[in-house]
Short mmCIF file of all heavy atoms in Angstrom, two decimals:
data_model
loop_
_atom_site.label_atom_id
_atom_site.label_comp_id
_atom_site.label_asym_id
_atom_site.label_seq_id
_atom_site.Cartn_x
_atom_site.Cartn_y
_atom_site.Cartn_z
N PRO A 646 65.24 81.08 138.86
CA PRO A 646 65.19 79.63 138.63
C PRO A 646 63.82 79.11 138.24
O PRO A 646 63.72 77.99 137.72
CB PRO A 646 65.62 79.05 140.00
CG PRO A 646 66.46 80.12 140.61
CD PRO A 646 65.84 81.42 140.17
N GLU A 647 62.75 79.88 138.43
CA GLU A 647 61.41 79.46 138.01
C GLU A 647 61.07 79.99 136.62
O GLU A 647 59.91 79.96 136.20
CB GLU A 647 60.36 79.95 139.01
CG GLU A 647 60.29 79.13 140.29
CD GLU A 647 61.47 79.42 141.20
OE1 GLU A 647 61.95 80.58 141.20
OE2 GLU A 647 61.94 78.48 141.89
N MET A 648 62.06 80.48 135.90
CA MET A 648 61.91 80.98 134.53
C MET A 648 61.12 82.28 134.47
O MET A 648 60.61 82.65 133.41
CB MET A 648 61.26 79.92 133.61
CG MET A 648 62.05 78.66 133.45
SD MET A 648 63.65 78.96 132.71
CE MET A 648 64.39 77.35 132.84
N ARG A 649 60.97 82.97 135.58
CA ARG A 649 60.28 84.26 135.57
C ARG A 649 61.25 85.38 135.25
O ARG A 649 62.40 85.36 135.69
CB ARG A 649 59.58 84.52 136.91
CG ARG A 649 58.44 83.56 137.22
CD ARG A 649 57.67 84.07 138.43
NE ARG A 649 58.51 84.07 139.61
CZ ARG A 649 58.53 83.11 140.52
NH1 ARG A 649 57.77 82.05 140.37
NH2 ARG A 649 59.32 83.18 141.58
N ILE A 650 60.77 86.37 134.51
CA ILE A 650 61.60 87.51 134.12
C ILE A 650 61.72 88.46 135.31
O ILE A 650 60.73 88.95 135.84
CB ILE A 650 61.00 88.23 132.91
CG1 ILE A 650 60.89 87.26 131.72
CG2 ILE A 650 61.86 89.43 132.53
CD1 ILE A 650 60.17 87.86 130.53
N ILE A 651 62.96 88.72 135.72
CA ILE A 651 63.22 89.65 136.83
C ILE A 651 63.55 91.05 136.30
O ILE A 651 63.12 92.06 136.85
CB ILE A 651 64.37 89.14 137.71
CG1 ILE A 651 64.03 87.75 138.27
CG2 ILE A 651 64.67 90.11 138.83
CD1 ILE A 651 65.15 87.15 139.08
N LEU A 652 64.31 91.08 135.20
CA LEU A 652 64.76 92.36 134.66
C LEU A 652 64.84 92.24 133.15
O LEU A 652 65.25 91.21 132.62
CB LEU A 652 66.13 92.73 135.23
CG LEU A 652 66.81 94.00 134.70
CD1 LEU A 652 66.00 95.22 135.10
CD2 LEU A 652 68.23 94.10 135.20
N ALA A 653 64.41 93.30 132.45
CA ALA A 653 64.52 93.36 130.99
C ALA A 653 64.73 94.82 130.60
O ALA A 653 63.89 95.68 130.92
CB ALA A 653 63.28 92.79 130.32
N ASN A 654 65.84 95.11 129.93
CA ASN A 654 66.11 96.50 129.56
C ASN A 654 65.33 96.88 128.30
O ASN A 654 64.77 96.02 127.61
CB ASN A 654 67.62 96.72 129.39
CG ASN A 654 68.16 95.99 128.16
OD1 ASN A 654 67.49 95.14 127.59
ND2 ASN A 654 69.37 96.33 127.76
N PRO A 655 65.26 98.18 127.97
CA PRO A 655 64.46 98.62 126.81
C PRO A 655 64.88 97.97 125.50
O PRO A 655 64.03 97.70 124.64
CB PRO A 655 64.69 100.14 126.79
CG PRO A 655 65.03 100.49 128.20
CD PRO A 655 65.80 99.33 128.73
N THR A 656 66.18 97.69 125.34
CA THR A 656 66.63 97.07 124.08
C THR A 656 66.03 95.69 123.91
O THR A 656 65.56 95.32 122.82
CB THR A 656 68.16 96.99 124.06
OG1 THR A 656 68.72 98.28 124.28
CG2 THR A 656 68.64 96.44 122.74
N ALA A 657 66.01 94.90 124.99
CA ALA A 657 65.42 93.56 124.92
C ALA A 657 63.93 93.64 124.63
O ALA A 657 63.40 92.87 123.80
CB ALA A 657 65.67 92.81 126.22
N ARG A 658 63.24 94.57 125.28
CA ARG A 658 61.80 94.71 125.02
C ARG A 658 61.54 95.15 123.59
O ARG A 658 60.55 94.72 122.97
CB ARG A 658 61.19 95.73 126.01
CG ARG A 658 61.23 95.26 127.46
CD ARG A 658 60.30 96.09 128.32
NE ARG A 658 60.73 97.47 128.40
CZ ARG A 658 61.51 97.96 129.34
NH1 ARG A 658 61.97 97.17 130.29
NH2 ARG A 658 61.85 99.24 129.36
N ASN A 659 62.39 95.98 123.04
CA ASN A 659 62.23 96.43 121.66
C ASN A 659 62.50 95.30 120.67
O ASN A 659 61.79 95.15 119.67
CB ASN A 659 63.16 97.60 121.39
CG ASN A 659 63.02 98.13 119.97
OD1 ASN A 659 61.93 98.50 119.54
ND2 ASN A 659 64.11 98.15 119.23
N ILE A 660 63.52 94.48 120.93
CA ILE A 660 63.84 93.38 120.02
C ILE A 660 62.70 92.39 119.95
O ILE A 660 62.33 91.90 118.86
CB ILE A 660 65.14 92.68 120.49
CG1 ILE A 660 66.35 93.59 120.26
CG2 ILE A 660 65.34 91.36 119.74
CD1 ILE A 660 67.65 93.03 120.78
N PHE A 661 62.09 92.08 121.09
CA PHE A 661 61.01 91.10 121.13
C PHE A 661 59.63 91.73 120.97
O PHE A 661 58.63 91.01 120.99
CB PHE A 661 61.06 90.30 122.42
CG PHE A 661 62.31 89.47 122.57
CD1 PHE A 661 63.12 89.58 123.69
CD2 PHE A 661 62.69 88.60 121.58
CE1 PHE A 661 64.27 88.83 123.82
CE2 PHE A 661 63.85 87.84 121.69
CZ PHE A 661 64.64 87.96 122.81
N GLY A 662 59.56 93.05 120.85
CA GLY A 662 58.27 93.71 120.62
C GLY A 662 57.33 93.63 121.81
O GLY A 662 56.12 93.49 121.63
N TRP A 663 57.87 93.71 123.03
CA TRP A 663 57.04 93.65 124.23
C TRP A 663 56.48 95.03 124.53
O TRP A 663 57.19 95.90 125.03
CB TRP A 663 57.84 93.14 125.42
CG TRP A 663 58.27 91.71 125.27
CD1 TRP A 663 57.79 90.80 124.39
CD2 TRP A 663 59.29 91.04 126.01
NE1 TRP A 663 58.42 89.60 124.53
CE2 TRP A 663 59.35 89.71 125.52
CE3 TRP A 663 60.15 91.40 127.03
CZ2 TRP A 663 60.25 88.77 126.03
CZ3 TRP A 663 61.03 90.47 127.54
CH2 TRP A 663 61.07 89.17 127.05
N GLU A 664 55.23 95.24 124.22
CA GLU A 664 54.60 96.52 124.53
C GLU A 664 54.16 96.58 125.99
O GLU A 664 54.22 97.62 126.62
CB GLU A 664 53.39 96.73 123.61
CG GLU A 664 53.78 96.81 122.13
CD GLU A 664 52.56 97.02 121.26
OE1 GLU A 664 51.44 97.03 121.81
OE2 GLU A 664 52.72 97.16 120.03
N LYS A 665 53.71 95.44 126.53
CA LYS A 665 53.29 95.38 127.92
C LYS A 665 54.46 94.93 128.80
O LYS A 665 55.39 94.30 128.34
CB LYS A 665 52.10 94.43 128.09
CG LYS A 665 50.86 94.86 127.32
CD LYS A 665 49.73 93.88 127.57
CE LYS A 665 48.46 94.30 126.82
NZ LYS A 665 47.35 93.34 127.04
N GLU A 666 54.35 95.25 130.09
CA GLU A 666 55.40 94.87 131.03
C GLU A 666 55.45 93.35 131.15
O GLU A 666 54.43 92.69 131.32
CB GLU A 666 55.12 95.49 132.41
CG GLU A 666 56.21 95.24 133.42
CD GLU A 666 57.53 95.86 133.00
OE1 GLU A 666 57.51 97.03 132.57
OE2 GLU A 666 58.55 95.17 133.09
N ALA A 667 56.67 92.79 131.07
CA ALA A 667 56.85 91.34 131.11
C ALA A 667 57.46 90.86 132.41
O ALA A 667 57.68 89.66 132.57
CB ALA A 667 57.73 90.89 129.93
N ILE A 668 57.74 91.76 133.34
CA ILE A 668 58.36 91.37 134.60
C ILE A 668 57.42 90.43 135.37
O ILE A 668 56.23 90.70 135.52
CB ILE A 668 58.69 92.60 135.46
CG1 ILE A 668 59.60 93.56 134.68
CG2 ILE A 668 59.34 92.18 136.77
CD1 ILE A 668 60.91 92.95 134.26
N GLY A 669 57.98 89.32 135.85
CA GLY A 669 57.20 88.35 136.62
C GLY A 669 56.57 87.26 135.78
O GLY A 669 56.07 86.28 136.33
N GLU A 670 56.60 87.37 134.45
CA GLU A 670 56.01 86.35 133.60
C GLU A 670 57.07 85.33 133.19
O GLU A 670 58.27 85.57 133.24
CB GLU A 670 55.38 86.98 132.36
CG GLU A 670 54.25 87.94 132.67
CD GLU A 670 53.54 88.38 131.40
OE1 GLU A 670 53.62 87.67 130.38
OE2 GLU A 670 52.90 89.45 131.43
N ASN A 671 56.58 84.16 132.76
CA ASN A 671 57.48 83.10 132.30
C ASN A 671 58.12 83.52 130.99
O ASN A 671 57.43 83.89 130.04
CB ASN A 671 56.71 81.79 132.13
CG ASN A 671 57.64 80.61 131.94
OD1 ASN A 671 58.46 80.56 131.02
ND2 ASN A 671 57.50 79.62 132.81
N VAL A 672 59.45 83.47 130.94
CA VAL A 672 60.15 83.95 129.75
C VAL A 672 59.81 83.12 128.52
O VAL A 672 59.76 83.63 127.40
CB VAL A 672 61.68 83.95 130.02
CG1 VAL A 672 62.20 82.53 130.18
CG2 VAL A 672 62.41 84.65 128.89
N LEU A 673 59.54 81.82 128.71
CA LEU A 673 59.23 80.95 127.57
C LEU A 673 57.88 81.28 126.97
O LEU A 673 57.60 80.90 125.83
CB LEU A 673 59.28 79.48 127.99
CG LEU A 673 60.64 78.98 128.48
CD1 LEU A 673 60.55 77.54 128.95
CD2 LEU A 673 61.69 79.13 127.39
N HIS A 674 57.02 81.97 127.73
CA HIS A 674 55.71 82.36 127.21
C HIS A 674 55.76 83.68 126.45
O HIS A 674 54.80 84.01 125.75
CB HIS A 674 54.70 82.48 128.37
CG HIS A 674 54.46 81.19 129.08
ND1 HIS A 674 53.84 81.11 130.32
CD2 HIS A 674 54.77 79.91 128.73
CE1 HIS A 674 53.77 79.86 130.69
NE2 HIS A 674 54.33 79.11 129.75
N ARG A 675 56.85 84.44 126.59
CA ARG A 675 56.94 85.74 125.96
C ARG A 675 57.91 85.78 124.78
O ARG A 675 57.86 86.72 123.99
CB ARG A 675 57.37 86.80 126.99
CG ARG A 675 56.39 87.00 128.14
CD ARG A 675 55.00 87.40 127.64
NE ARG A 675 55.02 88.60 126.87
CZ ARG A 675 54.86 89.82 127.36
NH1 ARG A 675 54.65 89.96 128.65
NH2 ARG A 675 54.90 90.88 126.58
N LEU A 676 58.80 84.80 124.68
CA LEU A 676 59.76 84.80 123.58
C LEU A 676 59.09 84.36 122.29
O LEU A 676 58.07 83.67 122.31
CB LEU A 676 60.92 83.85 123.90
CG LEU A 676 61.84 84.25 125.06
CD1 LEU A 676 62.88 83.16 125.28
CD2 LEU A 676 62.52 85.58 124.78
N PRO A 677 59.63 84.75 121.13
CA PRO A 677 59.10 84.24 119.86
C PRO A 677 59.18 82.71 119.82
O PRO A 677 60.03 82.09 120.46
CB PRO A 677 60.04 84.88 118.81
CG PRO A 677 60.58 86.10 119.48
CD PRO A 677 60.69 85.76 120.93
N SER A 678 58.25 82.11 119.06
CA SER A 678 58.14 80.66 119.04
C SER A 678 59.44 79.99 118.60
O SER A 678 59.84 78.96 119.16
CB SER A 678 56.99 80.24 118.12
OG SER A 678 57.18 80.75 116.81
N GLU A 679 60.13 80.58 117.61
CA GLU A 679 61.37 79.97 117.14
C GLU A 679 62.42 79.94 118.26
O GLU A 679 63.13 78.94 118.44
CB GLU A 679 61.95 80.75 115.95
CG GLU A 679 61.01 80.87 114.77
CD GLU A 679 60.18 82.15 114.84
OE1 GLU A 679 60.08 82.73 115.94
OE2 GLU A 679 59.66 82.56 113.81
N LEU A 680 62.49 81.02 119.02
CA LEU A 680 63.47 81.09 120.10
C LEU A 680 63.07 80.22 121.28
O LEU A 680 63.93 79.64 121.95
CB LEU A 680 63.63 82.55 120.54
CG LEU A 680 64.86 82.88 121.40
CD1 LEU A 680 66.13 82.48 120.68
CD2 LEU A 680 64.88 84.35 121.75
N THR A 681 61.76 80.11 121.53
CA THR A 681 61.28 79.25 122.61
C THR A 681 61.68 77.80 122.37
O THR A 681 62.16 77.10 123.27
CB THR A 681 59.76 79.37 122.76
OG1 THR A 681 59.42 80.73 123.05
CG2 THR A 681 59.25 78.49 123.89
N VAL A 682 61.47 77.33 121.15
CA VAL A 682 61.85 75.95 120.80
C VAL A 682 63.35 75.74 120.98
O VAL A 682 63.80 74.70 121.46
CB VAL A 682 61.41 75.63 119.36
CG1 VAL A 682 61.93 74.26 118.92
CG2 VAL A 682 59.90 75.68 119.23
N LYS A 683 64.13 76.75 120.63
CA LYS A 683 65.58 76.62 120.68
C LYS A 683 66.11 76.66 122.12
O LYS A 683 67.10 75.98 122.45
CB LYS A 683 66.22 77.75 119.87
CG LYS A 683 67.71 77.63 119.66
CD LYS A 683 68.04 76.63 118.59
CE LYS A 683 69.51 76.64 118.23
NZ LYS A 683 69.85 75.65 117.20
N LEU A 684 65.48 77.44 123.00
CA LEU A 684 66.05 77.71 124.32
C LEU A 684 65.43 76.89 125.45
O LEU A 684 65.98 76.89 126.56
CB LEU A 684 65.92 79.19 124.66
CG LEU A 684 66.67 80.18 123.77
CD1 LEU A 684 66.49 81.59 124.30
CD2 LEU A 684 68.14 79.84 123.68
N THR A 685 64.29 76.24 125.23
CA THR A 685 63.60 75.56 126.33
C THR A 685 64.50 74.53 127.00
O THR A 685 64.71 74.54 128.22
CB THR A 685 62.32 74.87 125.80
OG1 THR A 685 61.43 75.87 125.29
CG2 THR A 685 61.63 74.13 126.93
#
């Protein structure tokens, strides 16, 4: 509920190009800008 990433499988990390671990970070800060605007 705080928008933090709890789980992300390899396919999701590959689609968004996440080389570093994103667990615990705000999802809106890691998504592409186009998707962030659409999903916020």
Side-chain angles (χ1 to χ4, degrees):
E647 283 74 33
M648 298 298 174
R649 294 190 296 263
I650 301 174
I651 301 177
L652 176 66
N654 69 346
T656 305
R658 294 195 295 267
N659 181 56
I660 290 176
F661 296 126
W663 293 345
E664 297 180 356
K665 297 181 179 179
E666 185 62 45
I668 303 300
E670 298 188 23
N671 192 302
V672 67
L673 298 177
H674 297 165
R675 297 302 301 269
L676 293 177
S678 57
E679 303 92 341
L680 195 57
T681 300
V682 174
K683 189 77 172 179
L684 297 183
T685 298

